[in-house]
């Protein structure tokens, strides 16, 4: 840090020790220079929340919370919006949250995928003003939306294709 003329800001610095097996003999902090930094249970980096087990539970909960908040905000003006305008708003404000860094969600438990899928299903029903008991598959097909699991696979496939075809940034 000294060589790069950087200074450690203790108030903003977080450290995460990843330990999926809960080992009992791990240190509680790390010393960097004169500063003692305690390990956090979770940290945020570029808007993604990582926990000490890399379970992504907190990240999925935060995504769902912010997506439902956006749906509630849109619902206050839904009565004056067309289906196309609503689709555009939901795509911009809700699906963008579901898609942001979703490649990091590859391999998470199905119950977390299901939570995200419920948000997407709710969004599709919201766009078409249908009830909760309406089957969502035709709505997703009409919107040309992939399921959450398919969106994650598509993102990873696209990234891999870019690397293999030499179109990815260096």
């Amino acid at each position: 840090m000294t060589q790069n003329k950087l200074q450690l800001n203790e108030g903003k610095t977080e450290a995460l020790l990843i330990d999926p097996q809960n080992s009992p003999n791990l240190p509680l902090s790390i010393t960097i220079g004169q500063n003692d930094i305690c390990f956090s249970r979770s940290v945020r980096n570029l808007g993604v929340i990582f926990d000490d087990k890399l379970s992504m539970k907190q990240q999925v909960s935060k995504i769902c919370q912010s997506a439902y908040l956006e749906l509630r905000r849109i619902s206050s003006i839904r009565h004056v919006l067309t289906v196309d305008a609503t689709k555009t708003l939901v795509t911009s404000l809700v699906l963008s949250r579901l898609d942001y860094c979703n490649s990091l969600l590859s391999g998470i438990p199905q119950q977390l995928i299901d939570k995200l899928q419920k948000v997407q299903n709710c969004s599709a029903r919201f766009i078409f003003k249908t009830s909760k008991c309406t089957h969502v598959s035709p709505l997703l097909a009409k919107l040309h939306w992939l399921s959450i699991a398919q969106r994650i696979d598509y993102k990873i496939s696209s990234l891999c294709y870019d690397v293999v075809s030499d179109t990815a940034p260096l």
Side-chain angles (χ1 to χ4, degrees):
M1 289 179 63
T2 305
Q3 290 175 346
N4 292 317
K5 297 182 173 98
L6 298 174
Q7 186 175 7
L8 184 70
N9 184 340
E10 282 186 73
K12 293 184 178 180
T13 303
E14 294 180 300
L16 178 68
L17 182 62
I18 299 170
D19 178 32
Q21 291 145 354
N22 285 334
S23 302
N25 301 346
L26 295 176
L28 299 174
S29 64
I30 185 171
T31 303
I32 300 176
Q34 314 291 321
N35 304 306
D36 195 35
I37 301 169
C38 293
F39 289 115
S40 301
R41 307 257 320 140
S42 65
V43 296
R44 180 184 295 256
N45 188 18
L46 297 176
V48 179
I49 302 169
F50 296 96
D51 60 34
D52 57 353
K53 296 180 186 8
L54 291 181
S55 68
M56 303 305 280
K57 286 180 185 177
Q58 291 180 0
Q59 175 64 13
V60 169
S61 293
K62 189 66 176 170
I63 291 170
C64 292
Q65 180 184 12
S66 65
Y68 282 128
L69 174 66
E70 291 301 333
L71 281 174
R72 278 194 301 278
R73 291 177 63 209
I74 298 169
S75 72
S76 66
I77 60 168
R78 177 64 182 101
H79 63 281
V80 296
L81 297 173
T82 64
V83 170
D84 286 337
T86 306
K87 179 184 174 186
T88 301
L89 279 174
V90 169
T91 301
S92 300
L93 300 172
V94 178
L95 287 189
S96 62
R97 282 167 169 62
L98 296 175
D99 287 338
Y100 180 70
C101 290
N102 68 351
S103 57
L104 296 173
L105 302 177
S106 177
I108 64 172
Q110 187 62 40
Q111 67 185 34
L112 295 178
I113 295 287
D114 291 344
K115 287 177 83 171
L116 295 169
Q117 189 62 54
K118 284 180 185 177
V119 173
Q120 187 183 39
N121 294 350
C122 182
S123 299
R125 289 184 180 112
F126 176 75
I127 289 171
F128 292 111
K129 294 183 180 179
T130 61
S131 68
K132 284 185 178 183
C133 60
T134 305
H135 193 34
V136 76
S137 296
L139 302 177
L140 294 176
K142 194 171 183 178
L143 291 165
H144 303 288
W145 288 357
L146 297 173
S147 70
I148 295 298
Q150 291 171 328
R151 292 171 94 85
I152 292 169
D153 290 343
Y154 179 79
K155 175 74 90 48
I156 292 171
S157 300
S158 296
L159 292 171
C160 290
Y161 176 79
D162 287 345
V163 169
V164 171
S165 65
D166 288 330
T167 57
L170 295 176

